């Protein structure tokens, strides 16, 4: 698995780099971004935070807009941001080019239905292929955290809850917390996974948390002026399930904040510190 | 002059807002962005930093990518970011739609040549019209700073050097420091101002600084891996002129940094503190 460098920018004493590679799980070329703090050039082996973005995003949104490099440089955290779906010619897309399904909307699962199953295996990519690539090519320790926003918050929760021991820290911004029961999730799951709703349960954080064997503490921030809060995000479902399962979850409702990267930037430092607390030392 | 709100996002306890208005100096509708720190809702009258962006930008680039809200919220600075040219149907553009002239490339001057003179009066807009609008509509003090990047660094230098006493602080990232003597500046000035190079001198910071009556200290950051450094930016010309005129200029060559917003984000805190030092107290 070889990496081709796409671009490189010095940032807060470290480097923001983008790489292209052939993905075997997705059957296409993919681009991901990595932030390497200054400590990466000093021989240290550093923990990695995987960031999963939301609908319509690529690897670029978080790196450009979240303002995360400043504190990552201070804390010595590597951040890896993959794309949000397979890409390229031959990758099936929503028939109407909708923003909430197909390209830019992989939902971090392994599709079982055609034509999606051929490429849409973002779960395998994020949990296995990409970490193997990172661990082979960058000075990383064996500590991994995962976080994300909206569809990516759903992805972070599901990846961690399905893989006890694989991640040492977990957080989310405005996650799609109960995708089986919201329009975005119902559209994605019925197409990627088929109409049998029992198969959807293994991709829904509010279900998975009921049987989680690793009680990884979860930090979630959610804006109370987020236009998607009531119909799509449903953090109260996850909170109820976490409470029933005695799973540690801190859900912070942030007054006045919306679904944008201004919201993420406002609280990213708290999340980086949350991850550093579990990933370092 | 009425303001129409375009969007509003809570950010670091304050608000990022975008407004549309009819500009009398530019003869078109314009959009600008303002960051209002939390102190703006607490009855304080706050200093304003005007940020001028570079080629191809709008009001959005700085607000989304510079990571400036965090410290502006702490320091109690209002930041105003105008667009980089007049906009809309009827506004002349480069015949080939080039990125470095016409739309997105107003160069913060008052054009004297047709068809440009009808709309391209960004100098009047930035120095007079926009501050009057801000001062009529927001809780601002009488302290003003100005800063910018690339073409906007040129703009900030020129606006401050031409108006002694109007700004109390000044800084720039990778400014076009001697536009008379670089390809970007020669293209813009010959079209906007005509072929008589003696008329160009009043829009070139490296000339204006020789006769500046207000010795406003200038902070400039410049990446030494900036692809435009040698052919377009020429900070050494400004440094030589400042030195000849005994004008206080701190030019910091930052090793490894390029021309991107990752560079700006890396040093924006230093610039905000530079401005706060002159604008507060």
């Amino acid at each position: 698995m070889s990496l081709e460098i796409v671009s490189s920018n010095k940032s807060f004493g470290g480097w923001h780099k983008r790489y292209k590679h052939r993905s075997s799980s997705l059957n296409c070329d993919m681009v991901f971004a990595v932030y390497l703090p200054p400590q990466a050039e000093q021989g240290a082996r550093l923990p990695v935070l995987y960031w999963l973005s939301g609908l319509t995003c690529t690897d670029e949104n978080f790196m450009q807009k979240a303002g995360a490099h400043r504190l990552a440089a201070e804390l010595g955290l590597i951040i890896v941001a993959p794309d949000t779906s397979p890409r390229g010619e031959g990758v099936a897309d929503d028939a109407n080019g909708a923003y909430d399904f197909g390209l830019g909307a992989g939902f971090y699962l392994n599709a079982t239905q055609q034509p999606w199953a051929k490429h849409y295996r973002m779960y395998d990519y994020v949990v296995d292929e990409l970490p193997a690539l990172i661990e082979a090519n960058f000075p990383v320790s064996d500590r991994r955290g995962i976080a994300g926003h909206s569809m990516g918050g759903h992805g972070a929760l599901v990846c961690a809850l399905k893989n006890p021991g694989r991640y040492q820290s977990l957080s989310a911004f405005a996650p799609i917390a109960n995708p089986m029961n919201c329009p975005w999730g119902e559209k994605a799951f019925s197409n990627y996974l088929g109409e049998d709703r029992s198969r959807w349960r293994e991709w829904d954080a509010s279900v998975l948390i009921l049987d989680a064997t690793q009680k990884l503490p979860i930090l979630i921030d959610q804006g109370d002026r987020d236009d998607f809060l009531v119909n799509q995000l449903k953090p109260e479902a996850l909170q109820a399930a976490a409470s029933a399962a005695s799973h540690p979850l801190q859900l912070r409702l942030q007054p006045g904040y919306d679904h944008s990267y201004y919201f993420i930037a406002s609280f990213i430092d708290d999340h980086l510190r949350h991850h550093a607390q579990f990933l370092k030392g």
Side-chain angles (χ1 to χ4, degrees), chain A residues 1 25 47-50 122-136 140-147 155-170 212-216 275 278-279:
Chain A
M1 294 187 293
S25 29
V48 183
L49 174 62
Y50 291 87
M122 286 296 291
Y123 174 76
D124 281 354
Y125 179 69
V126 164
V127 171
D128 293 320
E129 185 179 2
L130 185 59
L133 201 60
I134 295 298
E135 286 155 27
V140 302
S141 74
D142 60 354
R143 313 286 286 177
R144 292 180 208 97
I146 193 162
L157 291 165
V158 165
C159 289
L161 291 169
K162 286 170 80 78
N163 292 280
R166 186 149 181 77
Y167 301 96
Q168 286 74 49
S169 61
L170 173 59
T213 56
Q214 180 196 24
K215 304 287 188 195
L216 202 54
H275 288 274
F278 295 99
L279 297 178

Side-chain angles (χ1 to χ4, degrees), chain A residues 11-234:
Chain A
S11 183
F12 288 91
W15 291 91
H16 166 252
K17 299 189 180 203
R18 305 179 68 213
Y19 292 94
K20 185 173 171 178
H21 71 109
R22 184 74 193 173
S23 165
S24 56
S25 29
L26 302 173
N27 282 310
C28 63
D29 288 343
M30 291 293 283
V31 173
F32 69 86
V34 57
Y35 178 68
L36 297 163
Q39 297 88 336
E41 293 187 310
Q42 294 158 11
R45 299 195 79 78
L46 304 171
V48 183
L49 174 62
Y50 291 87
W51 173 270
L52 306 184
S53 283
L55 292 167
T56 77
C57 289
T58 68
D59 66 290
E60 297 194 282
N61 304 65
F62 178 81
M63 292 294 181
Q64 293 180 349
K65 297 182 178 178
H69 295 184
R70 188 186 62 85
L71 190 58
E74 186 182 316
L75 296 171
L77 280 179
I78 291 175
I79 304 177
V80 172
D83 204 343
T84 53
S85 77
R87 298 279 182 182
E89 275 189 65
V91 175
D93 190 12
D94 182 273
N96 303 309
Y99 77 97
D100 58 0
F101 182 71
L103 295 180
F107 272 82
Y108 305 102
L109 50 71
N110 290 335
T112 56
Q113 305 299 300
Q114 295 305 345
W116 315 106
K118 186 177 175 195
H119 295 286
Y120 285 79
R121 300 184 64 84
M122 286 296 291
Y123 174 76
D124 281 354
Y125 179 69
V126 164
V127 171
D128 293 320
E129 185 179 2
L130 185 59
L133 201 60
I134 295 298
E135 286 155 27
N137 287 281
F138 299 94
V140 302
S141 74
D142 60 354
R143 313 286 286 177
R144 292 180 208 97
I146 193 162
H149 172 230
S150 195
M151 175 182 75
H154 143 74
L157 291 165
V158 165
C159 289
L161 291 169
K162 286 170 80 78
N163 292 280
R166 186 149 181 77
Y167 301 96
Q168 286 74 49
S169 61
L170 173 59
S171 79
F173 289 84
I176 304 174
N178 185 199
M180 287 183 66
N181 293 312
C182 76
W184 281 339
E186 288 169 2
K187 178 177 180 181
F189 285 9
S190 61
N191 281 284
Y192 290 137
L193 303 172
E195 296 298 341
D196 177 359
R197 293 177 65 100
S198 69
R199 308 286 292 278
W200 298 7
R201 297 173 58 82
E202 59 186 291
W203 304 103
D204 187 309
S206 294
V207 175
L208 292 168
I209 203 167
L210 293 170
D211 297 315
T213 56
Q214 180 196 24
K215 304 287 188 195
L216 202 54
I218 306 171
L219 171 64
I220 294 180
D221 276 311
Q222 170 65 57
D224 78 353
R225 298 279 291 274
D226 185 326
D227 286 341
F228 304 113
L229 174 54
V230 174
N231 287 331
Q232 302 283 10
L233 304 176
K234 303 184 186 286

